[in-house]
Amino acid sequence: MSKMADHDQAKVVAADVVSGDMIFQPILEDGIFRFDCSAEARAASYPSLSFIRSSDRDTPIMSHSVPSYTPTYECVSGKQIVKFEFPDGTTFYGTGEVSGQLERTGKRVFTWNTDAWGYGPGTTSLYQSHPWVLAVLPNGEALGVLADTTLRCEIDLRKESIIQFIAPSSYPVVTFGLFASPTDVLKSLSHAIGTVFMPPKWSLGYQQCRWSYDSDERVREIARTFREKGIPCDVIWMDIDYMDGFRCFTFDQERFRDPQSLVKDLHDDGFKAIWMLDPGIKKEEGYLIYDSGSENDAWIKKADGEPFVGEVWPGPCVFPDFTQSKVRAWWALLVKDFTSNGVDGIWNDMNEPAVFKTVTKTMPESNLHLGDEEIGGCQNHSHYHNVYGMLMARSTYEGMKLANENKRPFVLTRAGFIGSQRYAATWTGDNLSNWEHVHMSISMVLQLGLSGQPLSGPDIGGFAGNATPKLFGRWMGVGAMFPFCRGHSEKSTNDHEPWSFGEECEEVCRLALKRRYRLLPHIYTLFYLAHTTGIPVATPTFFADPKDPGLRTTENSFLLGPLLVFSSTIADQGMDRLHPVLPKGIWLRFDFDDSHPDLPTLYLQGGSIIPLAPPHQHVGEANLSDDLTLLVALDQNGHAEGLLFEDEGDGYEFTRGGYLLTRYVAELQSSAVTVRVSQMEGSWKRPRRRLRVQLLLGGGAMLDSWGIDGDVLKINMPTEVEVSTLVSTSEKQYRTRLECAKHIPELEEVSGPKGVVDLSKVPVELKNGDWIAKVVPWIGGRIISMEHLPSGTQWLHSRVEIDGYEEYSGTEYRSAGCSEEYSVIERDLEHAEEEESLILEGNIGGGLVLRRQISILKDNPKILQIDSGIIARSVGAGSGGFSRLVCLRVHPAFTLLHPTETFVSFTSIDGSKHEIWPESGDQFYQENLLPNGEWMLVDQCQGLALVNRFNINEVFKCYIHWGTGTVNLELWSEDRPVSKQSPLTVSHGYEVRGIS
């Protein structure tokens, strides 16, 4: 029987058993349990692509332990619903690459890798899939749950203390724990899915990117400016414009004619070079890569067996089938040859895979992958979609390793699956230059770390839109503390290099990055621990005290081991105006004489020692004979300890003992603190170097002492009075530094290239009942977010400056009214029995205004009501008091979470019933075919419908337009002139309804 037939059988088996408790087996090691609906379902399950070895998930072990929590299941209509119930007060984390809040209760996620440009806090599918939840119980104990399926999976956390997974039948669920702490859960998880690859040390420096540095001369100019300005940087990135017509593995012969010469110049100046490779291969005979792939039968097939062709950057493209080992080997050899140009790292983008000009944003789910049997065999695309990016990253990683066994590959991937950390780093995708994304970037990095991927970071400064100096500087301040540290921005925006925002912002960026480089020995040690034990590099603040419920939702601070980073992500609040929420115990503030209102405040936990480096411009300047600094914070018992990992910074000698792992201990005895080496691992000989110990006293005060690394160093403690004086003096100096710092100027407006708008302003928010709506008055008075709270669903698709909910004053697309600046006429919390109300007006010329009232009704908070009109304010008498011909065209863009399972439904005035699916194309409805005052967007997968009710006396035409992952449900008024006595109006409302 084929595996696809096995899948059908599994459905039958699952359907026979409607519901019950899942059965379990202990696997891998104590504390890990596999759950299935039945023995038959267990036997029919697919191989695991998340586990390092699928056999580990499928092989039971002898164990006397039993699960602390047993899930129930229900199989309905081919879907398997798995539910865990935990004690009240349990909090949830993880779920992979997700936007929005850190603590996930109330949220719902769909694992379906999606090109999500300009995502917001309510977006439910981003670029990666991690069907994983970390549950932290009220007492601090923790348990992890993995739904081990590659198929589209709903993670429903909307009910407090309940986890629910919904995915096609049948799939196993694996639990890790109950363990004493969340750290223990993540260690256990890493034994199953693997740890992060050990990154080369240079990849932990700052990295500069843009779409695109359009010539080798521009790249050299960027590199030269970093060195001239003394701003640390180690890597320059090349986006797709280095290619010849976007053909992968090629170079533009005019702008990048000699890549080897460019890379040599970069290397000579201490930089590495990273180049992009996408999966879309241009379908063009005579193009070597296409011809070679065709000869090797490397392409994904359509259902009819012919290669699938989809539109991406080069035009018509074919896509490698990375589910086949022969295709991965073919790609790896291409990568091996490509690296001979001096390529130091590779960036895999667009590998969800993204496809243009299609409503699903990807290839058809009916496409075929001829996968190897050990990963699942021949399956349609819906089975392998979520792992496509991971398999591409794996192939790229293996190709770089083939090119040089003595170098560690560095691969960055946009798409991924749980387990991708074995092959690649990641970033949080195409974010926006606004304060909401500054704030979210902390939680997003932490969630990835809590899902097995510790090497991540955002596009610092924001990818889309123009950052203000304040926003860029603040983001660089916190971004310099993230595990992966890269600035990146898109075409048509202003320059976003650290020196592009004025001297005040430039200095903040310089200070922030110098901080990072001082902390690199500590960060590199954390990565060694992540690689060897599975402990994340960055963790939420509550990891310092998992029993403290007050820390569970803290989002403006995080931990790098025992180092706490406290940052402001609010535009008008610098660090001089905030007070941190610290875990219990001793936390001692410190800095490098670099405190600034726009830089995070750093604290070291009592009982800890962290290693520091002397100042360097880039990683390549450092060497092992440099002075070493240890920063020491004693606990209440006068004890501290910490680790330092050292090796060549690249290669694999560390796996053969070629490293030095030192445990330092500090102890207070009588009136002196001794610092010594307590334990060593590895065959490296300790370098002969000076050791500087800085003992923190509180308030930023510290004692300095010098010695030789490896020797016992003694620090005589001052008296209590002397300590008090030192602390008082240090606190005064700290306040003086903050007061005297050159503040980054407040700049509300950012000028930029034509068509580029400022995304950094804060939208107006209406929140009540079932809805949160966000409005940007300065760009067409547009609604950019409509989040339905009970379902956790974001309905609008918005790119801030386009899409979302717009209104036009004519039948032409984006006619007057969609982009003008609107004025807020009235904002009321209790107006005319409305709980939330916002009235806007925009001048659309010719004496006309477009007026819009958005309200969440007090007597019916399930409805988001919008009342709009084109009103004549000063129409000339010469026209008889009438305006030009106008039409009020309501143009909302709704996102399609499940494009193949979504349709528009309505009953017409004449009683006929309609279901309009994406393949129907654009449709107009008017006269007797007009919806009879109501139509709805139905998502069968979610079991929800967005109902739009309107006044049929005001609406003359309805229009449906299916886009790429979107649909427009437009309401058009009649087309006529207006006067003061005869405005054009459209009143309508939105409500979410559950469907069977």
Side-chain angles (χ1 to χ4, degrees), residues 788-864:
H788 184 251
L789 296 174
S791 65
T793 306
Q794 171 61 257
W795 288 95
L796 281 181
H797 171 84
S798 177
R799 289 180 47 164
V800 178
E801 83 284 9
I802 191 172
D803 291 336
Y805 178 96
E806 302 176 330
E807 292 179 353
Y808 311 150
S809 60
T811 57
E812 303 84 6
Y813 176 62
R814 294 187 67 76
S815 54
C818 77
S819 59
E820 288 80 1
E821 181 168 358
Y822 280 53
S823 300
V824 177
I825 303 302
E826 188 173 324
R827 169 74 196 271
D828 209 329
L829 298 180
E830 294 251 353
H831 173 70
E833 297 188 350
E834 293 147 3
E835 192 71 25
E836 284 277 345
S837 178
L838 181 70
I839 302 176
L840 308 160
E841 282 191 3
N843 188 333
I844 56 174
L848 302 177
V849 297
L850 209 163
R851 182 183 177 94
R852 183 176 315 132
Q853 179 169 343
I854 307 162
S855 48
I856 304 171
L857 302 174
K858 183 177 181 180
D859 57 355
N860 193 350
K862 294 180 179 295
I863 294 177
L864 178 66

Side-chain angles (χ1 to χ4, degrees), residues 554-585:
T554 299
E555 296 182 340
N556 60 353
S557 65
F558 59 95
L559 298 167
L560 295 171
L563 171 63
L564 187 143
V565 180
F566 172 58
S567 179
S568 170
T569 54
I570 302 172
D572 58 355
Q573 290 187 359
M575 298 310 299
D576 52 341
R577 298 174 59 186
L578 292 178
H579 298 285
V581 176
L582 297 174
K584 295 172 186 174

Side-chain angles (χ1 to χ4, degrees), residues 811 870 885-889 953-957 972-978 982-986:
T811 57
I870 298 177
L885 203 64
V886 289
C887 170
L888 178 52
R889 178 178 171 184
N953 295 317
E954 298 173 333
V955 175
F956 280 67
K957 188 183 297 184
W972 294 34
S973 74
E974 63 180 320
D975 192 15
R976 63 169 173 81
V978 298
S982 60
L984 272 178
T985 58
V986 171

Side-chain angles (χ1 to χ4, degrees), residues 912-928:
S912 59
K913 298 183 182 299
H914 302 263
E915 280 190 5
I916 315 301
W917 293 81
E919 53 268 25
S920 303
D922 295 359
Q923 301 283 342
F924 275 103
Y925 297 90
Q926 51 192 331
E927 299 178 344
N928 284 338

Side-chain angles (χ1 to χ4, degrees), residues 589-663:
R589 181 181 56 77
F590 72 95
D591 60 25
F592 303 105
D593 293 331
D594 60 356
S595 293
H596 190 283
D598 291 309
L599 290 179
T601 305
L602 306 179
Y603 296 85
L604 186 60
Q605 186 176 22
S608 305
I609 300 175
I610 62 170
L612 304 174
H616 295 292
Q617 275 202 14
H618 57 93
V619 174
E621 283 190 340
N623 63 72
L624 286 168
S625 62
D626 283 337
D627 296 339
L628 173 67
T629 298
L630 298 179
L631 193 64
V632 180
L634 299 175
D635 63 17
Q636 64 270 26
N637 298 317
H639 178 85
E641 60 180 64
L643 291 173
L644 170 63
F645 174 78
E646 300 171 280
D647 71 347
E648 289 184 346
D650 208 342
Y652 293 94
E653 280 301 311
F654 78 96
T655 65
R656 297 181 283 271
Y659 67 94
L660 180 62
L661 181 64
T662 305
R663 182 179 297 275

